[in-house]
Amino acid sequence: MDETGGASGALPARRGTAPGWFVCFEGGDGAGKTTQVRLLTDELERRGHPVLVTREPGGTRLGEQIRDLLLHGGHVAPRAEALLYAADKAHHVDQVVRPGLAAGQVVVTDRYTDSSIAYQGMGRGLGRDEIRRLLHWAVRGLLPDLTIVLDVTPETGRLRRGPVHDRLEAEADEFHAVVRQGFLDLAARDPARYLVLDAANPPEEIARQVLGRLEAVWAAAAHASAGGRRSRLGGIPTSGERA
Ligand code: TYD
């Protein structure tokens, strides 16, 4: 078994309070997140790691109902939209993400809090810091160990999405340009927790880069824990600040 636990499925211990790892995919509509979530989780499962795949909005029964209201209902006032996304996240983190982390799983989510900061905070103009404070309360400060931003131009995103659009996807390219910049700004503020990749690259190449970065995060955690206590799981380090 290597330091990242690659051969046996064991993961190094996280530095926070729960043994699992929290990985998020973010990016504009049409960036290919869903494909990358599947490629990563297939590979982790092939290696024997315990993986929990989920998404926002959604991931719970209530979340799927909220998703339907948000994406396929009528007009939603911007503040109501922000609160509904926040409610989905509060429920999802409490019912799915934290239990998964507590059970030592690698929780991989298709979107998390950065989507709200980019879409509602920046795209809707509700303010990055206000939305950040709302979300911090909703998820009780739970931060991902790694966020992968799949960077896509509004034009490419629109072409990839095709003719059928949900309520957010139907927004103009200018809206998606602001959202895109929102993700890039978030990543630039905290490069240690982010990996930004060009979504125009071939999916297999993107998947290789994602896996390489995750292995590097785990290797660093294993190395750090080798200096102190050994991983509870004997392989994958446990992840960072969980709040
Ligand atoms: P997504 O599930 O990525 O859409 P798809 O069905 O195409 O896979 O996301 C649904 C939409 O919700 C997307 O346009 C982005 C938006 N969204 C927000 O505006 N705020 C949020 O907090 C989240 C999680 C998503």
Side-chain angles (χ1 to χ4, degrees):
M1 185 180 71
D2 65 18
E3 244 199 349
T4 64
S8 73
L11 297 170
R14 218 171 163 269
R15 279 166 289 126
T17 52
W21 287 83
F22 189 23
V23 179
C24 302
F25 282 86
E26 297 278 16
D29 293 283
K33 290 178 286 81
T34 309
T35 302
Q36 290 305 321
V37 167
R38 184 176 48 74
L39 290 173
L40 177 64
T41 55
D42 284 355
E43 179 58 23
L44 294 178
E45 278 170 355
R46 201 187 60 73
R47 295 179 180 199
H49 297 320
V51 182
L52 194 162
V53 185
T54 189
R55 69 170 179 175
E56 292 186 355
T60 63
R61 192 150 167 268
L62 176 63
E64 292 300 332
Q65 291 170 330
I66 294 174
R67 181 183 178 91
D68 205 39
L69 287 174
L70 279 165
L71 300 184
H72 306 297
H75 175 71
V76 183
R79 282 168 190 265
E81 181 180 283
L83 289 167
L84 284 169
Y85 277 112
D88 167 69
K89 292 177 202 307
H91 190 66
H92 183 231
V93 163
D94 188 72
Q95 298 292 302
V96 175
V97 179
R98 284 191 192 269
L101 295 174
Q105 290 178 297
V106 184
V107 179
V108 180
T109 183
D110 190 333
R111 298 195 182 280
Y112 187 53
T113 49
D114 285 359
S115 281
S116 273
I117 296 171
Y119 281 83
Q120 281 68 55
M122 308 301 288
R124 296 289 189 224
L126 292 173
R128 187 180 53 200
D129 293 335
E130 268 188 286
I131 296 297
R132 194 200 300 277
R133 278 197 294 277
L134 171 70
L135 293 173
H136 185 83
W137 181 83
V139 304
R140 289 189 291 138
L142 180 66
L143 292 176
D145 297 297
L146 177 63
T147 297
I148 297 115
V149 174
L150 298 179
D151 182 39
V152 68
T153 64
E155 297 75 23
T156 304
R158 179 162 36 76
L159 289 175
R160 283 188 178 177
R161 292 195 298 274
V164 182
H165 298 304
D166 65 37
R167 213 173 48 82
L168 274 286
E169 288 173 348
E171 290 290 337
D173 281 4
E174 293 71 36
F175 175 88
H176 290 284
V178 172
V179 169
R180 178 191 185 197
Q181 194 56 50
F183 284 123
L184 294 176
D185 289 348
L186 286 166
R189 284 160 65 120
D190 196 0
R193 283 182 183 278
Y194 284 83
L195 175 65
V196 180
L197 295 173
D198 185 346
N201 285 327
E204 296 71 25
E205 187 187 323
I206 294 174
R208 260 197 308 279
Q209 289 175 295
V210 171
L211 197 63
R213 178 61 180 270
L214 194 53
E215 284 172 334
V217 170
W218 283 340
H223 186 73
S225 74
R229 69 189 161 84
R230 266 283 163 202
S231 151
R232 265 179 283 174
L233 294 167
I236 300 185
T238 51
S239 51
E241 176 49 40
R242 279 276 145 84

